[in-house]
């Protein structure tokens, strides 16, 4: 027997929509904060932070009219997961750079 999926209506739907809206706004802000740390340029000379902000805006605008709660939840979970992976990779690379600087600096003294 397939699972029974409850689709909220009425007041519950409004609360769920508000919750998705708040989560989407939180995710968008997190993306902007993360993109701020990407200072280098791509092959065309465009700073990555500008490119990432623009792409995030396009993705959110494309999903603006989505009303299916399951699709919204999937988009939010996928987006949050991607941002967390990028943050972890960025932090690992930053730590590796600082470790290399410390290692190279200690050899000079």
């Amino acid at each position: 027997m397939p699972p029974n999926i409850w689709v909220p209506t009425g007041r519950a739907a409004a609360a769920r929509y508000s919750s998705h809206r708040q989560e989407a706004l939180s995710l968008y802000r997190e993306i902007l904060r993360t993109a701020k740390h990407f200072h280098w340029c791509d092959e065309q000379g465009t700073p990555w932070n500008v490119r990432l902000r623009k792409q995030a805006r396009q993705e959110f605008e494309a999903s603006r009219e989505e009303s299916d709660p399951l699709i919204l939840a999937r988009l939010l979970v996928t987006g949050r997961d991607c941002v967390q992976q990028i943050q972890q990779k960025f932090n690992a690379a930053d730590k590796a750079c600082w470790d290399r600087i410390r290692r190279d600096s200690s050899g000079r003294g």
Side-chain angles (χ1 to χ4, degrees):
M1 185 160 122
N4 185 11
I5 299 174
W6 176 71
V7 178
T9 59
R11 189 175 286 199
R16 174 70 60 120
Y17 177 75
S18 175
S19 170
H20 282 151
R21 180 172 162 68
Q22 290 171 349
E23 179 65 24
L25 187 56
S26 171
L27 176 59
Y28 185 69
R29 288 178 179 157
E30 186 69 23
I31 290 169
L32 294 181
R33 281 192 292 271
T34 302
K36 189 169 37 174
H37 298 288
F38 289 79
H39 300 292
W40 53 91
C41 295
D42 64 3
E43 297 82 21
Q44 290 80 29
T46 305
W48 270 101
N49 57 0
V50 172
R51 188 172 174 182
L52 292 171
R53 283 195 322 256
K54 184 178 178 182
Q55 185 64 34
R57 182 68 179 184
Q58 289 174 351
E59 292 285 334
F60 275 81
E61 287 295 330
S63 302
R64 179 186 285 267
E65 299 301 322
E66 184 60 58
S67 60
D68 184 356
L70 296 176
I71 293 175
L72 286 171
R74 187 184 72 204
L75 289 169
L76 292 171
V77 167
T78 303
R80 182 68 64 188
D81 184 51
C82 289
V83 169
Q84 288 173 349
Q85 287 180 21
I86 289 169
Q87 289 171 339
Q88 289 170 353
K89 288 178 183 179
F90 187 87
N91 289 338
D94 188 52
K95 183 182 181 312
C97 287
W98 281 108
D99 289 346
R100 171 90 187 262
I101 291 170
R102 281 189 209 98
R103 189 175 63 243
D104 290 349
S105 295
S106 64
R108 293 182 182 164

